[in-house]
Amino acid sequence: MAVLRPIRPPERPAQAYSIRLMPDLLEDFSLTRHNSLGLPSKARYAVEIDAESALPDLLEQQEEDPRLYGLPRLILGGGNNVVLPAFYPGLVMRVTIPGRTLAGETGAAWLVDVGAGENWHSFVEWTLAQDRPGLENLALIPGLAGGAPIQNIGAYGLEMARFCESVRAWDFGEGRFVELGATEFGFGYRDSVFKQEPGRYLVTRVRFALPKDWTPNTGYAELAAELAQAGADKPTPRAIFDAVVAIRRRKLPDPTVLGNAGSFFKNPVVPAAQREAMLARFPALVSHAQADGGFKLAAGWLVEQCGFKGTRRGAVGVHDRQTLVLVHEGGGAAQELLALAAEISAAVREKFGVALEMEPVVV
Ligand code: EPU
């Protein structure tokens, strides 16, 4: 791996370059430690974006540097929701922008800002320490804060969409920073405008509005049971945080120990009539009513019923406690993982007539 300095296109005078601060451009950059699946991967070029101010310069450099001109770009945060190829022939932009700030208040809420490069779990813990509760149900979700709005992270009865006030991002289409608000997020279950328009935005900062009037969110059955066991009948935000951490530690593999990208499939939502028909054949079907009248099926249950719990296929497999999670033990490749995912999808379609949608972004 080599650090490359910007080279000067022949038509530009030297001093036009020397006054600009360019982030270091790295060649043949290994992404193996930058994706939670741990898939061996390399990028032709990579840069680290550790401040908003680095962006306009970098994009100008890409226009002018013959090595970078026209290359595809991949924006990478923690790499917790991507399946990377062995070689990415473009420019990877690693976002590491720091910052956690108490950003003021409205009548009803505390405003809290977080830089895209902050670790999500540490940020959640920090909000509690600052007496700004609300995000505790989202404890221990791996990854960086900038990824949170992209897939609208959600767990244990809460989606980040609920408290997301605004998102600051570079808009590659407009060539400027924009501040997106509630009407522009396009948030849905594991969905947002950032997912719908891939490559258009690079998220730099997320602002949350956390209600001053905090109420515990303990409707998720497994969380309620965990709290009851801990004897917390009037749980504090910290007790909820601890309970979520305990559940996740028990069920989900730690990506620093065993490669994984969390849930590999979304929970499919089916119309009420389809769920009725399924229940008649499979009385133990696990499902949850949705606001729109549909039912969300537990994909983990569907996959488990097809016999995949703990399955291994070479370097990849299905987790033995949460079947929705595919794992990679090292040395494998995206194709192996995607072949296993396809095998699982086909089996679920065959047995239940339901299509599974993959959650991670396949590059
Ligand atoms: N289930 C099984 N077998 C399994 C897994 C689940 O039968 O192997 C059934 C059980 O009945 C269980 C139910 O499915 O009670 C729900 O399981 P769980 O609470 O683990 O939740 P999930 O629906 O499988 C979703 C999110 C998780 C999130 C949990 C908790 C998606 C795609 N996944 O999983 O998110 O942590 O709810 O809220 O919506 C992630 O995205 O990486 C992730 C872990």
Side-chain angles (χ1 to χ4, degrees), residues 120 123-124 127 132-139 158 163 208 210:
W120 172 261
F123 165 66
V124 172
T127 59
R132 301 288 188 270
L135 298 174
E136 53 280 354
N137 295 54
L138 304 180
L158 179 68
F163 298 133
F208 290 94
L210 303 170

Side-chain angles (χ1 to χ4, degrees), residues 60-311:
E60 203 169 318
Q61 182 189 353
Q62 186 175 10
E63 283 298 302
E64 295 170 347
D65 188 325
R67 295 166 306 182
L68 300 182
Y69 185 80
L71 277 190
R73 285 186 290 254
L74 173 66
I75 301 158
L76 202 60
N80 288 269
N81 209 37
V82 285
V83 179
L84 295 178
F87 183 68
Y88 179 72
L91 173 64
V92 167
M93 302 170 86
R94 289 182 49 233
V95 185
T96 60
I97 299 171
R100 307 185 293 204
T101 324
L102 300 180
E105 59 188 287
T106 64
W110 302 113
L111 300 176
V112 183
D113 285 358
V114 63
E118 291 286 342
N119 175 277
W120 172 261
H121 175 70
S122 306
F123 165 66
V124 172
E125 192 161 34
W126 175 83
T127 59
L128 298 193
Q130 302 298 314
D131 205 15
R132 301 288 188 270
L135 298 174
E136 53 280 354
N137 295 54
L138 304 180
L140 213 62
I141 293 183
L144 305 183
I150 295 172
Q151 54 167 11
N152 180 21
I153 56 170
Y156 303 101
L158 179 68
E159 286 183 348
M160 67 79 73
R162 178 128 132 232
F163 298 133
C164 186
E165 171 80 1
S166 64
V167 174
R168 200 172 144 78
W170 176 267
D171 181 338
F172 286 95
E174 305 254 326
R176 65 186 175 94
F177 285 104
V178 292
E179 185 98 11
L180 303 182
T183 57
E184 293 139 313
F185 294 141
F187 282 140
Y189 168 57
R190 301 286 149 113
D191 198 20
S192 71
V193 68
F194 310 104
K195 254 195 151 170
Q196 293 145 19
E197 299 188 39
R200 168 149 182 203
Y201 297 104
L202 183 150
V203 171
T204 58
R205 193 219 64 208
V206 185
R207 170 167 293 179
F208 290 94
L210 303 170
K212 291 177 182 173
D213 184 14
W214 177 82
T215 47
N217 178 352
T218 55
Y220 202 90
E222 198 175 5
L223 177 57
E226 185 76 23
L227 287 163
Q229 195 159 28
D233 52 345
K234 278 210 171 76
T236 59
R238 183 70 211 195
I240 295 175
F241 177 95
D242 290 340
V244 169
V245 167
I247 299 171
R248 293 191 75 103
R249 287 232 165 92
R250 214 163 44 225
K251 290 177 70 161
L252 295 164
D254 176 352
T256 62
V257 177
L258 179 60
N260 75 88
S263 302
F264 206 83
F265 300 101
K266 294 186 193 180
N267 285 324
V269 177
V270 299
Q274 186 176 353
R275 179 223 176 216
E276 278 300 313
M278 290 178 77
L279 265 180
R281 290 180 60 211
F282 306 100
L285 181 77
V286 183
S287 65
H288 296 280
Q290 300 299 289
D292 65 359
F295 282 83
K296 195 185 264 183
L297 307 180
W301 186 85
L302 300 175
V303 176
E304 188 173 336
Q305 295 306 304
C306 291
F308 283 103
K309 197 170 197 165
T311 292

